[in-house]
Amino acid sequence: MTLIASLPVATEELAGALVEALGASEELDFPTAATTEQPDKSWVVDIYFEEQPDEATLARLVRDVMGDATPPILVAPLPDEDWVAKSLEGLKPVRAGRFMVHGSHDRSKVQPDDVAIEIEAGEAFGTGHHGTTAGCLAEIDRLCSAREFGSILDLGTGTGVLAIAIAKAFGKRVLATDIDPVATRVTHENAVLNGVGALIDAETAEGFGNPVFAAHAPFDLIIANILAGPLIALAGDIVRHLAPDGVVVLSGLLTAQGPAVIAAYEAEGLRLERSGEMEGWLTLTLSR
Ligand SMILES: C[S@@+](CC[C@H](N)C(=O)[O-])C[C@H]1O[C@@H](n2cnc3c(N)ncnc32)[C@H](O)[C@@H]1O
C-alpha cells in the first residue's frame, strides 16, 4: 500500500530543497516527492512511501531543511487513485543546456533543437528537477561540446539521466553505475526507451568495488552526483581511475559543503576549474 505525507511549505525554494534532500536520502530509501503550487502561491510537498517510513528519521530530515517552520508530519495511506499519474501532472519538463528532460505526458512539448530525454518519475533518482541533476546536465553540455571524451563514467547514475544525455547528444559510450540494483535496471530501461541502449553499460557497484571499472579505466570524464560524504570518501578511488588529463564533475553537495569536498580532491592532486550553483546545490568541475 502506498503511503503519503503532505507538507505545506511557504516557498518554491524551500519545497525544492525539501524534495532534493528527501530524494537524496538513503536513510529513507530515496522516497519519491513532488511539489505542487497552491492557489495562494504557497507550496505542498507530497512524499510517497511504499512502506511505513521511520517517522523519527523523516521528521529529522524535514527539520534539517525547514528548521522551526517544520509542520506536523502525518504519514497516511494514499487514497486509491493513480497517484503516479497525478504526481506527474506537477512535473513540468526541465531544460538545462541543450537538454530537455520530460515525462511521457510531455512528449508534445519537445522542440526541434532539444536533446530530449524521456524519464518517468519512479523508482530511481534523476528526473532533472533537482538542482544537482540540472547542474550536471548544463556542465555536460558545456564540457562535451568543447572537448572529445573517450572513456566516460557516470557514478551514481540513478535513472541514468546523465549517461543518457551524453550518449544522446554526443554519441558516446558511458559506463553507468549505481549502488542500487533498482537504479541500474531503471537506467537500462531508460537507455532503451531513449534509443541509446547500445551505448550505456549499466552496472551495480558500490563505489569502485566491481571489476568492470578496471575494464573501462582510466576515464577521461567521471561524473558523480552522489552526496558530500560519499564524494569525500571516494576521492582517492575517483582520482586513481582518472586519465592524466581527465575531468571530474561532482554534484550532490550543498554550497556549505563545497570547501570540504574541494579539499578532499585537492589532496588527491586535482584543482578546481569551475563551480556552479543551482538551488543551493553545487556542481564542481576539477582536473589535474
Ligand atoms: C543524487 S542521485 C543522482 C542520480 C543521477 N545521476 C542524477 O544526476 O540525477 C545519487 C545516486 O547515487 C547512488 N549512490 C549513492 N552512493 C553510491 C556509491 N557509493 N556508489 C555508487 N552509487 C551510489 C544512489 O543510489 C543514487 O541513485
PDB file of all heavy atoms in Angstrom, residues 191-227:
ATOM      1  N   ALA A 191      17.585   3.826 -20.952  1.00  0.00           N
ATOM      2  CA  ALA A 191      18.514   3.924 -22.088  1.00  0.00           C
ATOM      3  C   ALA A 191      17.857   3.351 -23.340  1.00  0.00           C
ATOM      4  O   ALA A 191      17.924   3.949 -24.425  1.00  0.00           O
ATOM      5  CB  ALA A 191      19.812   3.191 -21.768  1.00  0.00           C
ATOM      6  N   VAL A 192      17.182   2.216 -23.189  1.00  0.00           N
ATOM      7  CA  VAL A 192      16.500   1.598 -24.342  1.00  0.00           C
ATOM      8  C   VAL A 192      15.373   2.521 -24.814  1.00  0.00           C
ATOM      9  O   VAL A 192      15.242   2.796 -26.013  1.00  0.00           O
ATOM     10  CB  VAL A 192      15.962   0.198 -23.955  1.00  0.00           C
ATOM     11  CG1 VAL A 192      15.073  -0.365 -25.054  1.00  0.00           C
ATOM     12  CG2 VAL A 192      17.139  -0.753 -23.653  1.00  0.00           C
ATOM     13  N   LEU A 193      14.584   3.029 -23.860  1.00  0.00           N
ATOM     14  CA  LEU A 193      13.461   3.927 -24.202  1.00  0.00           C
ATOM     15  C   LEU A 193      13.947   5.141 -24.989  1.00  0.00           C
ATOM     16  O   LEU A 193      13.272   5.624 -25.899  1.00  0.00           O
ATOM     17  CB  LEU A 193      12.783   4.399 -22.893  1.00  0.00           C
ATOM     18  CG  LEU A 193      11.690   5.459 -23.011  1.00  0.00           C
ATOM     19  CD1 LEU A 193      10.434   4.865 -23.657  1.00  0.00           C
ATOM     20  CD2 LEU A 193      11.333   6.034 -21.637  1.00  0.00           C
ATOM     21  N   ASN A 194      15.149   5.610 -24.642  1.00  0.00           N
ATOM     22  CA  ASN A 194      15.686   6.813 -25.295  1.00  0.00           C
ATOM     23  C   ASN A 194      16.562   6.498 -26.506  1.00  0.00           C
ATOM     24  O   ASN A 194      17.255   7.382 -27.024  1.00  0.00           O
ATOM     25  CB  ASN A 194      16.455   7.656 -24.270  1.00  0.00           C
ATOM     26  CG  ASN A 194      15.517   8.435 -23.353  1.00  0.00           C
ATOM     27  OD1 ASN A 194      15.053   9.507 -23.717  1.00  0.00           O
ATOM     28  ND2 ASN A 194      15.209   7.875 -22.190  1.00  0.00           N
ATOM     29  N   GLY A 195      16.575   5.244 -26.905  1.00  0.00           N
ATOM     30  CA  GLY A 195      17.276   4.864 -28.143  1.00  0.00           C
ATOM     31  C   GLY A 195      18.782   4.775 -28.020  1.00  0.00           C
ATOM     32  O   GLY A 195      19.490   4.777 -29.034  1.00  0.00           O
ATOM     33  N   VAL A 196      19.304   4.713 -26.771  1.00  0.00           N
ATOM     34  CA  VAL A 196      20.758   4.629 -26.607  1.00  0.00           C
ATOM     35  C   VAL A 196      21.157   3.412 -25.762  1.00  0.00           C
ATOM     36  O   VAL A 196      22.202   3.410 -25.114  1.00  0.00           O
ATOM     37  CB  VAL A 196      21.347   5.935 -25.993  1.00  0.00           C
ATOM     38  CG1 VAL A 196      21.281   7.073 -26.985  1.00  0.00           C
ATOM     39  CG2 VAL A 196      20.638   6.316 -24.696  1.00  0.00           C
ATOM     40  N   GLY A 197      20.325   2.370 -25.825  1.00  0.00           N
ATOM     41  CA  GLY A 197      20.615   1.160 -25.041  1.00  0.00           C
ATOM     42  C   GLY A 197      21.979   0.576 -25.364  1.00  0.00           C
ATOM     43  O   GLY A 197      22.674   0.058 -24.491  1.00  0.00           O
ATOM     44  N   ALA A 198      22.394   0.691 -26.625  1.00  0.00           N
ATOM     45  CA  ALA A 198      23.658   0.084 -27.039  1.00  0.00           C
ATOM     46  C   ALA A 198      24.862   0.878 -26.532  1.00  0.00           C
ATOM     47  O   ALA A 198      25.998   0.378 -26.556  1.00  0.00           O
ATOM     48  CB  ALA A 198      23.709  -0.017 -28.559  1.00  0.00           C
ATOM     49  N   LEU A 199      24.649   2.107 -26.091  1.00  0.00           N
ATOM     50  CA  LEU A 199      25.777   2.955 -25.682  1.00  0.00           C
ATOM     51  C   LEU A 199      25.967   2.990 -24.165  1.00  0.00           C
ATOM     52  O   LEU A 199      26.947   3.569 -23.679  1.00  0.00           O
ATOM     53  CB  LEU A 199      25.556   4.397 -26.179  1.00  0.00           C
ATOM     54  CG  LEU A 199      25.686   4.606 -27.685  1.00  0.00           C
ATOM     55  CD1 LEU A 199      25.367   6.047 -28.045  1.00  0.00           C
ATOM     56  CD2 LEU A 199      27.097   4.248 -28.157  1.00  0.00           C
ATOM     57  N   ILE A 200      25.048   2.406 -23.418  1.00  0.00           N
ATOM     58  CA  ILE A 200      25.135   2.535 -21.959  1.00  0.00           C
ATOM     59  C   ILE A 200      25.280   1.175 -21.298  1.00  0.00           C
ATOM     60  O   ILE A 200      24.449   0.289 -21.482  1.00  0.00           O
ATOM     61  CB  ILE A 200      23.903   3.293 -21.430  1.00  0.00           C
ATOM     62  CG1 ILE A 200      24.002   4.719 -21.968  1.00  0.00           C
ATOM     63  CG2 ILE A 200      23.859   3.268 -19.903  1.00  0.00           C
ATOM     64  CD1 ILE A 200      22.974   5.658 -21.548  1.00  0.00           C
ATOM     65  N   ASP A 201      26.371   1.028 -20.539  1.00  0.00           N
ATOM     66  CA  ASP A 201      26.592  -0.190 -19.756  1.00  0.00           C
ATOM     67  C   ASP A 201      26.188   0.122 -18.329  1.00  0.00           C
ATOM     68  O   ASP A 201      26.888   0.864 -17.636  1.00  0.00           O
ATOM     69  CB  ASP A 201      28.074  -0.588 -19.788  1.00  0.00           C
ATOM     70  CG  ASP A 201      28.537  -0.850 -21.208  1.00  0.00           C
ATOM     71  OD1 ASP A 201      27.827  -1.563 -21.923  1.00  0.00           O
ATOM     72  OD2 ASP A 201      29.596  -0.312 -21.594  1.00  0.00           O
ATOM     73  N   ALA A 202      25.059  -0.410 -17.883  1.00  0.00           N
ATOM     74  CA  ALA A 202      24.573  -0.137 -16.524  1.00  0.00           C
ATOM     75  C   ALA A 202      24.999  -1.278 -15.604  1.00  0.00           C
ATOM     76  O   ALA A 202      24.674  -2.437 -15.865  1.00  0.00           O
ATOM     77  CB  ALA A 202      23.062   0.007 -16.539  1.00  0.00           C
ATOM     78  N   GLU A 203      25.741  -0.942 -14.554  1.00  0.00           N
ATOM     79  CA  GLU A 203      26.276  -1.968 -13.643  1.00  0.00           C
ATOM     80  C   GLU A 203      25.999  -1.567 -12.203  1.00  0.00           C
ATOM     81  O   GLU A 203      26.126  -0.400 -11.842  1.00  0.00           O
ATOM     82  CB  GLU A 203      27.796  -2.076 -13.808  1.00  0.00           C
ATOM     83  CG  GLU A 203      28.254  -2.576 -15.156  1.00  0.00           C
ATOM     84  CD  GLU A 203      28.178  -4.096 -15.294  1.00  0.00           C
ATOM     85  OE1 GLU A 203      27.987  -4.778 -14.262  1.00  0.00           O
ATOM     86  OE2 GLU A 203      28.302  -4.576 -16.428  1.00  0.00           O
ATOM     87  N   THR A 204      25.706  -2.570 -11.375  1.00  0.00           N
ATOM     88  CA  THR A 204      25.531  -2.314  -9.943  1.00  0.00           C
ATOM     89  C   THR A 204      26.885  -2.427  -9.256  1.00  0.00           C
ATOM     90  O   THR A 204      27.596  -3.420  -9.431  1.00  0.00           O
ATOM     91  CB  THR A 204      24.544  -3.331  -9.337  1.00  0.00           C
ATOM     92  OG1 THR A 204      23.318  -3.242 -10.064  1.00  0.00           O
ATOM     93  CG2 THR A 204      24.294  -3.043  -7.869  1.00  0.00           C
ATOM     94  N   ALA A 205      27.257  -1.405  -8.508  1.00  0.00           N
ATOM     95  CA  ALA A 205      28.559  -1.414  -7.823  1.00  0.00           C
ATOM     96  C   ALA A 205      28.545  -0.356  -6.739  1.00  0.00           C
ATOM     97  O   ALA A 205      28.003   0.728  -6.937  1.00  0.00           O
ATOM     98  CB  ALA A 205      29.691  -1.106  -8.809  1.00  0.00           C
ATOM     99  N   GLU A 206      29.141  -0.685  -5.597  1.00  0.00           N
ATOM    100  CA  GLU A 206      29.284   0.326  -4.552  1.00  0.00           C
ATOM    101  C   GLU A 206      30.628   1.000  -4.757  1.00  0.00           C
ATOM    102  O   GLU A 206      31.670   0.374  -4.631  1.00  0.00           O
ATOM    103  CB  GLU A 206      29.212  -0.313  -3.167  1.00  0.00           C
ATOM    104  CG  GLU A 206      29.398   0.737  -2.080  1.00  0.00           C
ATOM    105  CD  GLU A 206      29.083   0.209  -0.694  1.00  0.00           C
ATOM    106  OE1 GLU A 206      28.620  -0.936  -0.589  1.00  0.00           O
ATOM    107  OE2 GLU A 206      29.316   0.958   0.271  1.00  0.00           O
ATOM    108  N   GLY A 207      30.596   2.282  -5.074  1.00  0.00           N
ATOM    109  CA  GLY A 207      31.863   2.947  -5.368  1.00  0.00           C
ATOM    110  C   GLY A 207      32.542   2.219  -6.510  1.00  0.00           C
ATOM    111  O   GLY A 207      31.929   1.972  -7.544  1.00  0.00           O
ATOM    112  N   PHE A 208      33.803   1.840  -6.313  1.00  0.00           N
ATOM    113  CA  PHE A 208      34.579   1.201  -7.386  1.00  0.00           C
ATOM    114  C   PHE A 208      34.746  -0.299  -7.148  1.00  0.00           C
ATOM    115  O   PHE A 208      35.650  -0.913  -7.704  1.00  0.00           O
ATOM    116  CB  PHE A 208      35.929   1.902  -7.532  1.00  0.00           C
ATOM    117  CG  PHE A 208      35.792   3.263  -8.165  1.00  0.00           C
ATOM    118  CD1 PHE A 208      35.425   4.359  -7.415  1.00  0.00           C
ATOM    119  CD2 PHE A 208      36.001   3.427  -9.524  1.00  0.00           C
ATOM    120  CE1 PHE A 208      35.269   5.607  -7.991  1.00  0.00           C
ATOM    121  CE2 PHE A 208      35.845   4.675 -10.114  1.00  0.00           C
ATOM    122  CZ  PHE A 208      35.481   5.765  -9.348  1.00  0.00           C
ATOM    123  N   GLY A 209      33.881  -0.879  -6.304  1.00  0.00           N
ATOM    124  CA  GLY A 209      34.028  -2.298  -5.954  1.00  0.00           C
ATOM    125  C   GLY A 209      33.448  -3.239  -6.983  1.00  0.00           C
ATOM    126  O   GLY A 209      32.563  -4.017  -6.672  1.00  0.00           O
ATOM    127  N   ASN A 210      33.888  -3.172  -8.188  1.00  0.00           N
ATOM    128  CA  ASN A 210      33.400  -4.070  -9.241  1.00  0.00           C
ATOM    129  C   ASN A 210      34.488  -4.113 -10.321  1.00  0.00           C
ATOM    130  O   ASN A 210      34.996  -3.055 -10.729  1.00  0.00           O
ATOM    131  CB  ASN A 210      32.083  -3.497  -9.819  1.00  0.00           C
ATOM    132  CG  ASN A 210      31.460  -4.385 -10.880  1.00  0.00           C
ATOM    133  OD1 ASN A 210      32.147  -4.935 -11.736  1.00  0.00           O
ATOM    134  ND2 ASN A 210      30.150  -4.512 -10.835  1.00  0.00           N
ATOM    135  N   PRO A 211      34.847  -5.316 -10.812  1.00  0.00           N
ATOM    136  CA  PRO A 211      35.926  -5.412 -11.818  1.00  0.00           C
ATOM    137  C   PRO A 211      35.633  -4.642 -13.101  1.00  0.00           C
ATOM    138  O   PRO A 211      36.543  -4.369 -13.888  1.00  0.00           O
ATOM    139  CB  PRO A 211      36.020  -6.917 -12.110  1.00  0.00           C
ATOM    140  CG  PRO A 211      35.094  -7.603 -11.186  1.00  0.00           C
ATOM    141  CD  PRO A 211      34.295  -6.609 -10.415  1.00  0.00           C
ATOM    142  N   VAL A 212      34.365  -4.262 -13.308  1.00  0.00           N
ATOM    143  CA  VAL A 212      34.022  -3.552 -14.547  1.00  0.00           C
ATOM    144  C   VAL A 212      34.798  -2.232 -14.667  1.00  0.00           C
ATOM    145  O   VAL A 212      35.092  -1.770 -15.777  1.00  0.00           O
ATOM    146  CB  VAL A 212      32.490  -3.301 -14.611  1.00  0.00           C
ATOM    147  CG1 VAL A 212      32.058  -2.198 -13.639  1.00  0.00           C
ATOM    148  CG2 VAL A 212      32.054  -2.941 -16.014  1.00  0.00           C
ATOM    149  N   PHE A 213      35.184  -1.644 -13.524  1.00  0.00           N
ATOM    150  CA  PHE A 213      35.897  -0.363 -13.591  1.00  0.00           C
ATOM    151  C   PHE A 213      37.279  -0.533 -14.233  1.00  0.00           C
ATOM    152  O   PHE A 213      37.703   0.293 -15.037  1.00  0.00           O
ATOM    153  CB  PHE A 213      36.032   0.249 -12.194  1.00  0.00           C
ATOM    154  CG  PHE A 213      34.714   0.685 -11.644  1.00  0.00           C
ATOM    155  CD1 PHE A 213      34.046  -0.081 -10.707  1.00  0.00           C
ATOM    156  CD2 PHE A 213      34.113   1.854 -12.083  1.00  0.00           C
ATOM    157  CE1 PHE A 213      32.816   0.312 -10.206  1.00  0.00           C
ATOM    158  CE2 PHE A 213      32.884   2.258 -11.598  1.00  0.00           C
ATOM    159  CZ  PHE A 213      32.235   1.476 -10.653  1.00  0.00           C
ATOM    160  N   ALA A 214      37.962  -1.614 -13.847  1.00  0.00           N
ATOM    161  CA  ALA A 214      39.297  -1.839 -14.396  1.00  0.00           C
ATOM    162  C   ALA A 214      39.210  -1.996 -15.914  1.00  0.00           C
ATOM    163  O   ALA A 214      40.101  -1.558 -16.658  1.00  0.00           O
ATOM    164  CB  ALA A 214      39.915  -3.070 -13.757  1.00  0.00           C
ATOM    165  N   ALA A 215      38.116  -2.603 -16.384  1.00  0.00           N
ATOM    166  CA  ALA A 215      37.971  -2.841 -17.823  1.00  0.00           C
ATOM    167  C   ALA A 215      37.784  -1.532 -18.595  1.00  0.00           C
ATOM    168  O   ALA A 215      38.114  -1.457 -19.775  1.00  0.00           O
ATOM    169  CB  ALA A 215      36.781  -3.766 -18.068  1.00  0.00           C
ATOM    170  N   HIS A 216      37.230  -0.508 -17.948  1.00  0.00           N
ATOM    171  CA  HIS A 216      36.942   0.754 -18.645  1.00  0.00           C
ATOM    172  C   HIS A 216      37.944   1.868 -18.337  1.00  0.00           C
ATOM    173  O   HIS A 216      38.016   2.856 -19.051  1.00  0.00           O
ATOM    174  CB  HIS A 216      35.548   1.269 -18.285  1.00  0.00           C
ATOM    175  CG  HIS A 216      34.436   0.463 -18.893  1.00  0.00           C
ATOM    176  ND1 HIS A 216      34.094  -0.800 -18.466  1.00  0.00           N
ATOM    177  CD2 HIS A 216      33.584   0.753 -19.903  1.00  0.00           C
ATOM    178  CE1 HIS A 216      33.082  -1.246 -19.171  1.00  0.00           C
ATOM    179  NE2 HIS A 216      32.744  -0.327 -20.055  1.00  0.00           N
ATOM    180  N   ALA A 217      38.675   1.746 -17.210  1.00  0.00           N
ATOM    181  CA  ALA A 217      39.579   2.829 -16.779  1.00  0.00           C
ATOM    182  C   ALA A 217      40.836   2.842 -17.658  1.00  0.00           C
ATOM    183  O   ALA A 217      41.169   1.828 -18.278  1.00  0.00           O
ATOM    184  CB  ALA A 217      39.956   2.625 -15.318  1.00  0.00           C
ATOM    185  N   PRO A 218      41.567   3.979 -17.696  1.00  0.00           N
ATOM    186  CA  PRO A 218      41.252   5.211 -16.990  1.00  0.00           C
ATOM    187  C   PRO A 218      40.152   5.992 -17.715  1.00  0.00           C
ATOM    188  O   PRO A 218      40.008   5.895 -18.930  1.00  0.00           O
ATOM    189  CB  PRO A 218      42.569   5.985 -17.014  1.00  0.00           C
ATOM    190  CG  PRO A 218      43.226   5.534 -18.274  1.00  0.00           C
ATOM    191  CD  PRO A 218      42.839   4.083 -18.446  1.00  0.00           C
ATOM    192  N   PHE A 219      39.394   6.773 -16.941  1.00  0.00           N
ATOM    193  CA  PHE A 219      38.281   7.524 -17.506  1.00  0.00           C
ATOM    194  C   PHE A 219      38.728   8.944 -17.868  1.00  0.00           C
ATOM    195  O   PHE A 219      39.433   9.601 -17.110  1.00  0.00           O
ATOM    196  CB  PHE A 219      37.130   7.596 -16.501  1.00  0.00           C
ATOM    197  CG  PHE A 219      36.556   6.247 -16.186  1.00  0.00           C
ATOM    198  CD1 PHE A 219      36.949   5.557 -15.048  1.00  0.00           C
ATOM    199  CD2 PHE A 219      35.638   5.645 -17.043  1.00  0.00           C
ATOM    200  CE1 PHE A 219      36.440   4.302 -14.768  1.00  0.00           C
ATOM    201  CE2 PHE A 219      35.123   4.387 -16.772  1.00  0.00           C
ATOM    202  CZ  PHE A 219      35.526   3.713 -15.628  1.00  0.00           C
ATOM    203  N   ASP A 220      38.264   9.404 -19.016  1.00  0.00           N
ATOM    204  CA  ASP A 220      38.539  10.798 -19.417  1.00  0.00           C
ATOM    205  C   ASP A 220      37.565  11.757 -18.744  1.00  0.00           C
ATOM    206  O   ASP A 220      37.867  12.934 -18.564  1.00  0.00           O
ATOM    207  CB  ASP A 220      38.414  10.931 -20.936  1.00  0.00           C
ATOM    208  CG  ASP A 220      39.400  10.018 -21.638  1.00  0.00           C
ATOM    209  OD1 ASP A 220      40.594  10.126 -21.333  1.00  0.00           O
ATOM    210  OD2 ASP A 220      38.958   9.173 -22.442  1.00  0.00           O
ATOM    211  N   LEU A 221      36.387  11.231 -18.418  1.00  0.00           N
ATOM    212  CA  LEU A 221      35.378  12.061 -17.742  1.00  0.00           C
ATOM    213  C   LEU A 221      34.671  11.196 -16.712  1.00  0.00           C
ATOM    214  O   LEU A 221      34.177  10.107 -17.038  1.00  0.00           O
ATOM    215  CB  LEU A 221      34.361  12.586 -18.777  1.00  0.00           C
ATOM    216  CG  LEU A 221      33.189  13.403 -18.230  1.00  0.00           C
ATOM    217  CD1 LEU A 221      33.664  14.656 -17.500  1.00  0.00           C
ATOM    218  CD2 LEU A 221      32.217  13.782 -19.360  1.00  0.00           C
ATOM    219  N   ILE A 222      34.674  11.653 -15.459  1.00  0.00           N
ATOM    220  CA  ILE A 222      33.918  10.974 -14.398  1.00  0.00           C
ATOM    221  C   ILE A 222      32.916  11.977 -13.850  1.00  0.00           C
ATOM    222  O   ILE A 222      33.285  13.078 -13.429  1.00  0.00           O
ATOM    223  CB  ILE A 222      34.832  10.482 -13.249  1.00  0.00           C
ATOM    224  CG1 ILE A 222      35.852   9.465 -13.770  1.00  0.00           C
ATOM    225  CG2 ILE A 222      33.988   9.875 -12.121  1.00  0.00           C
ATOM    226  CD1 ILE A 222      36.828   8.947 -12.696  1.00  0.00           C
ATOM    227  N   ILE A 223      31.638  11.595 -13.868  1.00  0.00           N
ATOM    228  CA  ILE A 223      30.597  12.445 -13.278  1.00  0.00           C
ATOM    229  C   ILE A 223      30.041  11.693 -12.088  1.00  0.00           C
ATOM    230  O   ILE A 223      29.684  10.509 -12.203  1.00  0.00           O
ATOM    231  CB  ILE A 223      29.477  12.707 -14.292  1.00  0.00           C
ATOM    232  CG1 ILE A 223      30.058  13.398 -15.510  1.00  0.00           C
ATOM    233  CG2 ILE A 223      28.378  13.571 -13.677  1.00  0.00           C
ATOM    234  CD1 ILE A 223      29.236  13.211 -16.725  1.00  0.00           C
ATOM    235  N   ALA A 224      29.992  12.336 -10.943  1.00  0.00           N
ATOM    236  CA  ALA A 224      29.458  11.690  -9.743  1.00  0.00           C
ATOM    237  C   ALA A 224      28.534  12.671  -9.039  1.00  0.00           C
ATOM    238  O   ALA A 224      28.993  13.644  -8.458  1.00  0.00           O
ATOM    239  CB  ALA A 224      30.593  11.255  -8.813  1.00  0.00           C
ATOM    240  N   ASN A 225      27.237  12.419  -9.148  1.00  0.00           N
ATOM    241  CA  ASN A 225      26.249  13.214  -8.417  1.00  0.00           C
ATOM    242  C   ASN A 225      25.760  12.342  -7.273  1.00  0.00           C
ATOM    243  O   ASN A 225      24.785  11.603  -7.420  1.00  0.00           O
ATOM    244  CB  ASN A 225      25.108  13.616  -9.359  1.00  0.00           C
ATOM    245  CG  ASN A 225      24.013  14.372  -8.621  1.00  0.00           C
ATOM    246  OD1 ASN A 225      24.189  14.742  -7.459  1.00  0.00           O
ATOM    247  ND2 ASN A 225      22.893  14.585  -9.283  1.00  0.00           N
ATOM    248  N   ILE A 226      26.493  12.374  -6.165  1.00  0.00           N
ATOM    249  CA  ILE A 226      26.108  11.483  -5.045  1.00  0.00           C
ATOM    250  C   ILE A 226      25.754  12.383  -3.851  1.00  0.00           C
ATOM    251  O   ILE A 226      24.777  13.085  -3.905  1.00  0.00           O
ATOM    252  CB  ILE A 226      27.233  10.462  -4.756  1.00  0.00           C
ATOM    253  CG1 ILE A 226      27.667   9.759  -6.062  1.00  0.00           C
ATOM    254  CG2 ILE A 226      26.720   9.399  -3.817  1.00  0.00           C
ATOM    255  CD1 ILE A 226      28.695   8.668  -5.897  1.00  0.00           C
ATOM    256  N   LEU A 227      26.539  12.422  -2.845  1.00  0.00           N
ATOM    257  CA  LEU A 227      26.342  13.307  -1.697  1.00  0.00           C
ATOM    258  C   LEU A 227      27.730  13.647  -1.188  1.00  0.00           C
ATOM    259  O   LEU A 227      28.700  12.939  -1.479  1.00  0.00           O
ATOM    260  CB  LEU A 227      25.560  12.598  -0.584  1.00  0.00           C
ATOM    261  CG  LEU A 227      24.049  12.444  -0.756  1.00  0.00           C
ATOM    262  CD1 LEU A 227      23.484  11.590   0.374  1.00  0.00           C
ATOM    263  CD2 LEU A 227      23.343  13.793  -0.805  1.00  0.00           C
TER     264      LEU A 227
END
